Amino acid sequence: MAELFCVGLSHKSAPIEVREKVAVPEEDQAGLLQKVAALPGVSEAMLLSTCNRVELFAAVAGHESAEAVAAQLREKGGDAVRPHLLQHQGEAAVVHLFRVAASLDSMVVGEPQILGQVKDAFSSSVAAGTVGGELTRACEAAFAAAKRVRTETGIGANAVSMASAAVELARKIFGDLSGRTVLVVGVGPMSEICARHLGSEGAHVRVANRTLERAQALVKELGGKAEARPFTDVAKLLTEADVVVTSTASPKPIFNVELVQPALKARKGRPLFLVDLAVPRDVDPAVHQLSNVFAYNVDDLERVVKENLAARSSEAARAEVLIAEEVARFIRSKTARDAVPILGQLRRRADSIAISEAEKTLAVLGEGLSLRQRQSVEAMAKAIVNKLLHAPTARLRTAGEAGPEEAARVAAAAAELFGLADEGPADDGGAPEAAPIPITRAEGQK
């Protein structure tokens, strides 16, 4: 009987110089998956490869098969990776998959990208032909659990980077940032990240730098959705901007009282939000005391990030409870399915009848039907089958949870009633009840 197995390493178990030894180039991933799925006792395989983790998930028949899968990564990484490899089998592997998808195992807990990366890994493994019922069911349940975590907890609600914290503070002052004017001074990495965040909120971004060509280059990096301005325009731009993000290498403050106070008069009471990401600071501390000025420096933003991380930690504890519930639900379902393999036979027989009858009906109706009408006929056939099977399927699962004797008794009755006795047992007790369907990535980027 197949069970889930996982072997790999992550940012928690290995430094980057070790992780990169087992990184698998995209063009080699399908070959590795097919090699793993062809190992004795291994029926399915999925590879999750990101900058923070390289993990192989597989459906294995026992300890020897699991060791064979683990050997693939040991062989690839050599002796350097052996102390860093972590293994999970059975329920522990399910828990790990669910926690990874829900971002509870991420470097920044609650970050949304990992769910999209797991979905990508699943889709790539389906395309490689190495995914069947075990991984499909486990991944779909993990995705549903991750969605529940994001919906029912605030694990992803608070900003945990300097740039996102700056955007969060700007929202608190101005509300909707769409249409607001943002002045970015300096073209360093932090300036670029802030400009991207604020631009994605619909703000009009202007970039000023002592070297205009570098400002123009950053605007190009931003996809042209910004405007490059010479540094000599900063005083004028200050009267127009709602948000100023500054991150230069200037040895002394750029924004002092002498520069900001005249701009405030011209602004006629409109608030000015200053984000100073520079060290040494670009904004003179005296500016913080001016009316209608909301100024934050690196230390201020770091305090916001720490508070948000603490809040996420609290939400992560709630998320762990939800994951435990979802894992328990999945394990109960799998236990029932494994105990009553006739469930798979029944589903395949029913699906086959639905498809056959729909095809006969469509053949009688001829070619005049629209695509929507044909799909309606097929959907109706499946809906009838699903409704007819709902009660017996639920009874079989309940019997599976009650124990092997009850499972055998009810399964024998179902086999006789539905004429399944002569078909023999399901192939592995975990055969897919339906062909796996690639899941389109919904969020995040690899």
Side-chain angles (χ1 to χ4, degrees), residues 21-44:
K21 287 182 182 300
V22 293
V24 184
E26 191 171 344
E27 61 272 21
D28 295 340
Q29 292 182 5
L32 174 65
L33 286 169
Q34 288 157 1
K35 183 179 179 182
V36 170
L39 293 169
V42 180
S43 53
E44 305 174 37

Side-chain angles (χ1 to χ4, degrees), residues 65-363:
S65 306
E67 279 302 306
V69 174
Q72 297 298 313
L73 283 190
R74 287 198 292 265
E75 181 182 327
K76 180 171 178 54
D79 292 339
V81 309
R82 292 172 188 270
H84 303 278
L85 285 177
L86 297 178
Q87 297 184 197
H88 312 278
Q89 192 160 349
E91 184 172 340
V94 175
V95 171
H96 182 69
L97 174 62
F98 279 44
R99 292 189 75 253
V100 168
S103 184
L104 289 171
D105 199 57
S106 294
M107 184 177 288
V108 179
V109 171
E111 55 88 8
Q113 285 81 16
I114 186 62
L115 179 57
Q117 290 168 334
V118 180
K119 288 184 175 181
D120 280 346
F122 177 77
S123 295
S124 297
S125 304
V126 170
T130 60
V131 167
E134 287 295 331
L135 278 171
T136 297
R137 283 186 287 269
C139 286
E140 288 182 345
F143 301 156
K147 183 178 179 183
R148 188 183 170 201
V149 164
R150 299 201 79 79
T151 302
E152 297 185 21
T153 75
I155 194 171
N158 299 304
V160 291
S161 70
M162 292 280 188
S164 55
V167 174
E168 184 179 281
L169 288 170
R171 277 203 218 97
K172 287 181 179 177
I173 295 170
F174 297 107
D176 184 7
L177 295 178
S178 178
R180 296 286 178 179
T181 300
V182 174
L183 171 61
V184 175
V185 183
V187 294
M190 288 299 290
S191 298
E192 179 179 344
I193 294 170
C194 279
R196 287 188 188 280
H197 276 67
L198 291 162
S200 68
E201 296 280 327
H204 300 304
V205 179
R206 292 168 172 174
V207 180
N209 193 62
R210 292 187 189 280
T211 306
L212 180 60
E213 289 76 13
R214 293 190 64 193
Q216 292 168 333
L218 176 55
V219 167
K220 190 176 179 181
E221 285 291 318
L222 297 172
K225 297 178 181 177
E227 180 185 353
R229 299 291 290 268
F231 189 81
T232 51
D233 283 359
V234 164
K236 178 177 182 300
L237 294 171
L238 195 58
T239 66
E240 301 168 356
D242 298 299
V243 178
V244 177
V245 178
T246 181
S247 179
T248 75
S250 173
K252 59 184 181 179
I254 296 171
F255 297 93
N256 51 31
V257 172
E258 290 72 25
L259 177 68
V260 175
Q261 202 155 41
L264 290 174
K265 289 180 181 176
R267 297 171 65 83
K268 297 180 179 177
R270 285 190 300 122
L272 176 63
F273 180 47
L274 284 163
V275 180
D276 185 0
L277 299 173
V279 179
R281 289 173 288 183
D282 282 345
V283 178
D284 191 301
V287 172
H288 292 230
Q289 309 306 318
L290 296 176
S291 179
N292 281 330
V293 171
F294 300 86
Y296 293 83
N297 60 33
V298 170
D299 285 353
D300 297 327
L301 292 175
E302 190 174 356
R303 277 193 289 273
V304 172
V305 168
K306 284 182 177 177
E307 289 170 4
N308 289 346
L309 281 171
R312 282 199 179 195
S313 177
S314 172
E315 292 301 302
R318 293 180 58 211
E320 294 283 7
V321 174
L322 296 183
I323 288 298
E325 291 176 4
E326 293 298 323
V327 168
R329 189 201 312 273
F330 177 80
I331 295 298
R332 281 198 304 272
S333 175
K334 176 175 168 51
T335 301
R337 193 169 50 249
D338 290 346
V340 192
I342 202 167
L343 271 172
Q345 290 177 253
L346 183 57
R347 171 53 65 181
R348 285 193 294 275
R349 166 71 72 83
D351 286 343
S352 173
I353 292 172
I355 293 169
S356 174
E357 293 305 311
E359 288 176 348
K360 287 179 186 175
T361 301
L362 291 172

Side-chain angles (χ1 to χ4, degrees), residues 405-418:
E405 291 185 5
E406 177 68 357
R409 188 183 70 78
V410 178
E416 184 172 352
L417 283 172
F418 290 98

